[in-house]
Amino acid sequence: MSDGTKVAAPKFLRRVARKLRRLQQALSRKQKGSANRRKAVKKVARAHVRVADTRRDWQHKLSTQIIRENQAVYVEDLCVTGLGRTRLAKSVHDAGWATFTAMLEYKAARYGRTFGRVDRFFPSTRMCSDCGRINEKMALNVRSWDCPCGAAHDRDVNAARNVRAAGQADLNARGAYVRPASVPAARREAGTHPDAARSTRSVEGISILQAGEDVNTRSTCWPRSG
């Protein structure tokens, strides 16, 4: 977040990967059409549902906390579909970014908060949040960097500050804030493979930021005044 707070994705699917693999192996040994195979199928399904429910519960708690504590929230409009085709696919799906941002969006409408998505092509990672200089592209393993202006940046915190600035600039360009219409809550999550991110109106900006196999759900928040 733009205030320096970091929330690590709990990696719900990876924590039970060994158990799921064992259940899947047991299923593959059962004879097709047998009663034991039907029982094994149910065990695998229940394990996946448990992972999805645990992830959804965590996302609801965190998204509600963020919305209640801030007047405006701006997030990266990540291309989840594209990331799902890379070596980071398992971590991307495990983080459930699309579902999490959907929760932030409808809860912002419910509580009368401002919500915005910043375009994925905005160079939030490479731009210095102090002087505005855009530096060269950096590898994913570079988690901190120094700007020629003398500022030292944490990669994620710097990007979050740039996302906040871009979101506030878009809000000012569109004029006074008007409370949006109610947005229906998302009723489903596709098990351990969330739906792709929805395309929405966004401002110019944002880059795709991932750290190795870790997926950081980076949101930027504008603290409530008073």
Side-chain angles (χ1 to χ4, degrees):
M1 302 184 190
S2 57
D3 62 357
T5 303
K6 292 188 177 183
V7 181
K11 300 181 181 179
F12 301 101
L13 179 60
R14 288 185 180 277
R15 289 191 311 192
V16 296
R18 182 177 298 179
K19 178 180 179 181
L20 288 172
R21 183 167 57 251
R22 187 171 62 252
L23 291 174
Q24 198 69 47
Q25 290 173 344
L27 171 62
S28 65
R29 298 191 191 100
K30 300 298 186 291
Q31 184 178 357
K32 292 184 178 180
S34 66
N36 285 335
R37 183 178 179 85
R38 288 193 293 271
K39 293 178 182 178
V41 168
K42 290 181 180 179
K43 288 182 180 180
V44 173
R46 278 196 297 266
H48 280 282
V49 169
R50 191 176 297 111
V51 171
D53 288 344
T54 304
R55 182 191 298 114
R56 189 183 301 109
D57 178 70
W58 180 82
Q59 290 176 330
H60 270 299
K61 291 176 180 177
L62 180 59
S63 59
T64 300
Q65 178 185 349
I66 291 175
I67 292 298
R68 284 180 174 176
E69 294 179 353
N70 300 276
Q71 290 287 3
V73 178
Y74 307 102
V75 300
E76 293 179 321
D77 183 23
L78 296 178
C79 181
V80 177
T81 303
L83 290 172
R85 301 191 189 103
T86 68
R87 62 186 179 84
L88 301 173
K90 182 176 290 187
S91 294
V92 170
H93 291 308
D94 200 6
W97 176 254
T99 303
F100 181 66
T101 54
M103 289 180 181
L104 288 173
E105 185 172 7
Y106 81 74
K107 289 180 182 181
R110 176 184 298 172
Y111 288 95
R113 307 292 197 257
T114 301
F115 177 85
R117 296 176 187 267
V118 179
D119 190 82
R120 67 193 63 164
F121 298 109
F122 179 65
S124 60
T125 305
R126 299 182 290 123
M127 178 183 290
C128 174
S129 57
D130 290 345
C131 68
R133 176 191 176 94
I134 299 179
N135 296 284
E136 299 295 329
K137 291 185 177 180
M138 295 173 285
L140 291 175
N141 62 344
V142 178
R143 307 316 305 167
S144 61
W145 56 279
D146 298 325
C147 180
C149 71
H153 295 296
D154 176 279
R155 179 177 182 139
D156 297 327
V157 175
N158 175 70
R161 290 172 178 168
N162 288 329
V163 170
R164 180 188 61 180
Q168 291 175 344
D170 178 61
L171 178 65
N172 293 333
R174 289 187 283 114
Y177 169 66
V178 179
R179 180 170 180 170
S182 298
V183 179
R187 293 182 177 273
R188 282 186 169 186
E189 179 185 15
T192 54
H193 299 280
D195 296 333
R198 298 182 300 168
S199 175
T200 59
R201 181 179 182 275
S202 59
V203 297
E204 291 291 331
I206 218 158
S207 62
I208 299 175
L209 304 177
Q210 302 298 337
E213 274 296 312
D214 293 329
V215 176
N216 298 323
T217 56
R218 181 185 308 131
S219 61
T220 59
C221 307
W222 182 6
R224 184 170 15 182
S225 59

